[in-house]
Amino acid sequence: MWNSWREQRALEDRQRRVPELLRYPSSPPRDPTFVNPPELESMHARKRAESQTPATATGSTQYPLPEQVRKALYKQYQYRGLNESRDDIRLVKVNFTQGRSGDMNCNLEHHSIRELVGSHSYDAISYVWGSSSRTTKVLCDNYTSHLYVTANLRNVLEKLASEPSGYTGRLPYWIDGLCINQEDEQERGHQVRKMANIYRRAACVHIFLGTFGIEQNLLQTQWLTRRWVIQEAVAAQKAVVHFQMGGQWRQAAWADFVGIASNPTGLAEVNMTLFPAAGLLRGLSETKKTRWSGIFPLLLKFHSAECHDDRDRLFALLGVSSDVELRDEPGSGAPAYMAQFQALKIWFQPDYTLDTAQVYQKFALAALRSPLAFDLLHCAGAFRLIKIRSPSRHALSTWVPDWRCPPLFKPLIRPAGCHAGMLKSVDRQKANKQAAFIAKSERWITVRGILLGTVQRMSNHLSEIDTIPHSHHVKVEWSSDEIDLGIDRAYVVLDSGHEVFVPVDVRLGDKVVILIGARTPFMLRDTGDTSRVLHELIGDCYVFGEGVMNGRHVNQAAAEAFVEFHIE
């Protein structure tokens, strides 16, 4: 009697657990030693017999058994290496088996990106990463293993898998969190080089903004804080925006999204917290119209966009920059006309095996070998800490921008009508050709120029010196708005009598110099090294009065006035 009662209880317990096992949770069952009872096997046999619906084109070819799923939850998926000679990428097919919400499967396949056209194309996904922790399991490889993804990516996958084929077209997807082996730094570097092309060649880029309340503005999405979305949105030939509002998923074309997000009527009251997102969306919209922009304008426009890895502050923008080639050096044997074109570029290859300081230094050295060397110096003065010799900056030279820092001021990159260091004489041009940077090393550079003067009198407040102009606007190439020098600059008078707008952390005795080839003067500071004369780069300057900014002063200078400045 006792044994019969215990057997009955055991049978009832197994029957109660049948629905639980059929849900196939994303974490292992509580009792991993539990085996399928005969009644569970017979139930699966009935389900297989009742369901004659073929598997979807994007999903698994079999209906998984609980034991199969249980094993998959204990076996992590092993990525196969990509064939770089074929330009391989991975694409993922995702679905719920016969519509069951617990049985999502992702199959990863290798394809040459050169062959992905027409009916063999793909869609790309852009989404809010959220937390960078990959702690959520997703079954893959026909329910034989699993991958860890972020919680936000899991939600996006569930949305893609549960929708009918008309929602996204049911093409396979390229999704960075799945299609790149995030643990392989070498592969990450190779795939970053392809990412702009991946988004550019996609049939459609689906942008997932997240969930909103009825009264929320779409500008409040975290998607507009991500640095990588700049490349994803700018490169897309076609983009569709998806968001959930009031419990319902909605879609909008890119142009409609820009209009909705920019117009707060009926969504939310505009407030100061939305300004950064509005600025990023505006920059995205402007850049998307032209498709291309120089790397330094991109770094300035989108400096507030965030990323989890500080190396990506640079890497995330390279693919849509018009003046960077994603290789370390051009190939040999190019025709003369190609060699001239190659000389205009920064040659730089992303490399995740280097740390952040090494990446920034390597990119700066590459920029110095290009015609954009002075653009680099303009940014180096702006993107730094106030205290140059800070322990957190000890790994970077002062001529290397620290892209982790917000800009102290708006740099004067290519200001209209300014040619302070441009030599006009043919003889002078020949004598000083490529002489602006006559020596380079890993730590310091040598630059030729003339000393305009040292700081004798200064003020950080306009009221302290009566002769200070209250504002002076300068048009620069990288911004649609003019720069008001009176907002984020200090005003100084040099021992030579010149009046200058300079960086706010100016000190008495700082030098203002005109470097050969530069459009504006720069401020330098002695390092105090008694063994050799070295300087720190403080930033660019604007000199009032005629003769300096238009280049007359440097062209009238005697030959002996030109000296070398060593910048550490």
Side-chain angles (χ1 to χ4, degrees), residues 136-427:
T136 305
K137 289 182 179 180
V138 171
L139 297 180
C140 58
D141 204 15
N142 288 327
Y143 301 94
T144 59
S145 56
H146 69 270
L147 275 171
Y148 286 99
V149 298
T150 65
N152 278 13
L153 178 51
R154 168 80 191 196
N155 293 337
V156 170
L157 292 171
E158 288 179 352
K159 177 60 180 172
L160 293 173
S162 63
E163 289 297 329
S165 60
Y167 187 74
T168 61
R170 274 306 194 202
L171 291 171
Y173 307 113
W174 190 90
I175 308 173
D176 57 359
L178 280 175
C179 297
I180 298 177
N181 183 358
Q182 301 294 326
E183 304 301 324
D184 187 334
E185 291 185 339
Q186 186 174 18
E187 179 181 302
R188 284 173 65 194
H190 289 157
Q191 291 293 290
V192 162
R193 292 166 52 190
K194 295 184 175 73
M195 280 181 65
N197 197 31
I198 290 171
Y199 279 93
R200 191 174 295 115
R201 295 174 67 106
C204 181
V205 174
H206 297 275
I207 298 169
F208 285 82
L209 300 182
T211 302
F212 300 83
I214 291 295
E215 297 300 319
Q216 278 187 292
N217 191 305
L218 294 184
L219 289 174
Q220 292 174 280
T221 174
Q222 290 185 14
W223 186 83
L224 281 172
T225 67
R226 282 191 59 216
R227 206 170 185 89
W228 280 106
V229 306
I230 298 159
Q231 177 174 254
E232 296 163 5
V234 169
Q237 302 294 322
K238 175 185 176 183
V240 176
V241 178
H242 307 265
F243 58 95
Q244 191 175 33
M245 182 174 285
Q248 295 183 343
W249 278 95
R250 307 183 186 186
Q251 297 183 39
W254 172 260
D256 295 331
F257 162 61
V258 173
I260 293 170
S262 302
N263 182 5
T265 304
L267 291 176
E269 182 180 356
V270 174
N271 56 66
M272 293 292 290
T273 61
L274 300 183
F275 281 10
L280 190 143
L281 184 60
R282 175 187 169 192
L284 267 179
S285 183
E286 293 174 349
T287 307
K288 190 168 175 60
K289 290 177 182 177
T290 61
R291 298 281 180 190
W292 297 97
S293 181
I295 184 60
F296 293 111
L298 286 171
L299 287 161
L300 285 160
K301 284 182 182 179
F302 302 112
H303 68 84
S304 62
E306 295 297 330
C307 51
H308 294 296
D309 188 329
D310 283 326
R311 293 170 293 188
D312 290 338
R313 294 186 177 278
L314 192 56
F315 293 166
L317 301 176
L318 296 176
V320 287
S321 64
S322 57
D323 45 24
V324 177
E325 288 291 333
L326 298 180
R327 288 185 290 166
D328 282 336
E329 57 185 17
S332 59
Y337 73 92
M338 281 298 296
Q340 292 177 354
F341 174 76
Q342 292 170 347
L344 300 176
K345 300 279 191 172
I346 298 174
W347 293 81
F348 175 77
Q349 180 171 301
D351 185 353
Y352 282 100
T353 65
L354 303 179
D355 63 30
T356 300
Q358 289 172 326
V359 167
Y360 293 175
Q361 191 97 0
K362 179 185 174 183
F363 178 77
L365 285 169
L368 288 178
R369 293 190 289 267
S370 78
L372 303 174
F374 283 110
D375 291 4
L376 175 86
L377 295 192
H378 284 287
C379 288
F383 287 88
R384 60 176 175 82
L385 299 174
I386 286 282
K387 185 179 180 182
I388 294 244
R389 290 296 175 187
S390 170
S392 64
R393 267 196 62 99
H394 73 279
L396 290 177
S397 302
T398 63
W399 47 269
V400 178
D402 191 340
W403 306 112
R404 296 166 290 193
C405 301
L408 297 174
F409 49 83
K410 295 179 179 179
L412 301 174
I413 295 181
R414 304 186 189 184
C418 296
H419 311 281
M422 303 291 188
L423 297 177
K424 297 178 181 178
S425 166
V426 175
D427 292 337

Side-chain angles (χ1 to χ4, degrees), residues 18 22 68 72 88 113 116 138 178 226 236 247 327 330 353 364-365 414 556 568:
V18 167
L22 287 175
Q68 180 182 2
D88 271 5
I113 195 172
L116 294 170
V138 171
L178 280 175
R226 282 191 59 216
R327 288 185 290 166
T353 65
L365 285 169
R414 304 186 189 184
Q556 293 177 348
E568 187 180 31

Side-chain angles (χ1 to χ4, degrees), residues 486-500:
I487 293 179
D488 55 8
R489 303 265 178 161
Y491 179 87
V492 302
V493 179
L494 307 182
D495 58 2
S496 60
H498 292 95
E499 299 175 355
V500 192

Side-chain angles (χ1 to χ4, degrees), residues 513-539:
V513 302
I514 304 175
L515 305 177
I516 297 175
R519 291 175 180 265
T520 73
F522 283 85
M523 175 169 285
L524 304 180
R525 178 175 299 155
D526 289 342
T527 63
D529 189 336
T530 56
S531 61
R532 52 184 174 176
V533 180
L534 292 175
H535 299 90
E536 295 173 347
L537 178 70
I538 307 301

